């Protein structure tokens, strides 16, 4: 493995895929990346994502269909709900599958036709809690006829509301009994969903505006929080 500069944090990823050739290829791409990415190969063993070295991996590279003909959206939902940062790497090229995965909270969706330049970039982005839109996903989103209101999960809404009425992500984490990293992941997913419907929200105030527009939180709730904060100063 190449030497790392002081202060460089090595990204670790765990891949769940039932095709050994795919895992071997991804492993080679990660090893050749600069700086390299440490890859843990779980094979088709989903349990290895939750226990052992895979449990601490920064990113999960998830083959959606470990059992032929049965895409496992339920497992994707579980990974996302637990705060894992997921890149879906799938043989499915249809738009509906790609959009569903992003709606469920995947930070990136790539088809297996897309090479290392996209997958390595997506892994690095996901490790930072940021989205990556590969060409396949870009096409799917362009064709998506859904309305311009993103479909936020219950947990995403809960984290977002808590963040709006808190002065820091640390307070949100303490309140919801999750890590700060998990809070950041949920907020990143919400930003992805707003960007995907053409309503980018890069700052907290942008997100507050979008959330008020969509009824996620009311101005009265925000003002009540501000009044309470001022009263306790």
């Amino acid at each position: 493995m190449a030497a790392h500069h002081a202060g460089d944090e090595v990204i670790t990823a765990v891949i769940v895929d039932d095709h050994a050739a795919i895992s071997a290829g991804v492993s080679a791409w990660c090893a050749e990346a600069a700086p390299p990415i440490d890859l843990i190969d779980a094979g088709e063993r989903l349990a290895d994502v939750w226990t052992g070295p895979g449990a601490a991996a920064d990113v999960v590279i998830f083959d959606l269909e470990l059992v032929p003909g049965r895409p496992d959206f339920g497992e994707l939902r579980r990974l996302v709900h637990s705060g894992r940062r997921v890149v879906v790497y799938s043989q499915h090229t249809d738009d509906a599958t790609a959009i569903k995965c992003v709606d469920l909270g995947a930070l990136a969706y790539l088809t297996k036709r897309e090479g290392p330049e996209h997958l390595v970039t997506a892994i690095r982005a996901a490790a930072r809690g940021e989205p990556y839109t590969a060409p396949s996903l870009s096409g799917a989103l362009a064709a998506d006829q859904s309305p311009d209101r993103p479909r936020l999960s219950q947990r995403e809404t809960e984290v977002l509301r808590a963040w709006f009425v808190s002065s820091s992500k640390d307070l949100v984490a303490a309140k919801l009994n999750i890590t700060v990293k998990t809070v950041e992941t949920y907020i990143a997913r919400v930003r992805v969903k707003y960007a995907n419907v053409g309503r980018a929200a890069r700052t907290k105030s942008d997100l507050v505006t979008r959330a008020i527009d969509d009824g996620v939180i009311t101005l009265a709730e925000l003002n009540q929080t501000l009044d309470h904060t001022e009263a306790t100063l």
Side-chain angles (χ1 to χ4, degrees):
M1 181 174 284
H4 295 284
H5 299 294
D8 276 358
E9 285 193 24
V10 180
I11 293 169
T12 57
V14 58
I15 184 167
V16 192
D17 198 298
D18 59 335
H19 293 97
I22 295 287
S23 296
V26 173
S27 181
W29 295 345
C30 288
E32 291 162 9
I37 295 165
D38 282 353
L39 189 74
I40 300 156
D41 183 3
E44 55 188 297
R45 299 176 302 278
L46 273 170
D48 286 11
V49 172
W50 300 100
T51 59
D58 299 310
V59 179
V60 178
I61 306 165
F62 183 56
D63 176 8
L64 191 64
E65 198 167 297
L66 295 170
V67 179
R70 288 175 54 193
D72 198 347
F73 294 110
E75 185 62 27
L76 174 58
R77 188 181 286 109
R78 279 189 290 278
L79 286 164
V80 166
H81 190 75
S82 71
R84 301 300 291 272
R85 296 172 175 188
V86 183
V87 171
V88 175
Y89 196 45
S90 173
Q91 71 268 34
H92 286 278
T93 57
D94 62 292
D95 292 351
T97 299
I99 289 165
K100 182 165 184 177
C101 287
V102 172
D103 276 348
L104 286 173
L107 285 171
Y109 183 94
L110 290 88
T111 70
K112 289 180 179 176
R113 295 176 183 176
E114 287 164 319
E117 70 278 12
H118 293 295
L119 185 57
V120 169
T121 306
I123 293 168
R124 291 203 196 287
R128 297 189 301 268
E130 296 171 2
Y132 177 74
T133 305
S136 58
L137 180 59
S138 180
L141 294 169
D144 186 17
Q145 297 302 308
S146 62
D148 66 356
R149 180 176 297 192
R151 295 181 285 274
L152 303 184
S153 72
Q154 186 177 344
R155 191 61 162 168
E156 285 165 351
T157 302
E158 185 181 14
V159 170
L160 201 60
R161 285 172 57 88
W163 187 43
F164 290 159
V165 299
S166 300
S167 56
S168 73
K169 291 171 185 172
D170 297 272
L171 289 172
V172 177
K175 180 181 177 183
L176 299 180
N177 199 26
I178 54 179
T179 66
V180 173
K181 187 175 178 182
T182 301
V183 172
E184 290 171 346
T185 299
Y186 276 114
I187 293 168
R189 286 195 199 119
V190 173
R191 290 194 202 282
V192 174
K193 291 185 177 183
Y194 271 107
N196 286 343
V197 296
R199 298 167 67 204
R202 294 181 182 87
T203 66
K204 186 173 183 177
S205 60
D206 287 342
L207 266 181
V208 169
T209 302
R210 300 278 181 265
I212 291 171
D213 288 345
D214 292 347
V216 173
I217 196 165
T218 66
L219 206 50
E221 287 174 301
L222 287 172
N223 288 339
Q224 191 175 8
T225 306
L226 288 171
D227 291 344
H228 175 73
T229 304
E230 286 167 4
T232 56
L233 287 177

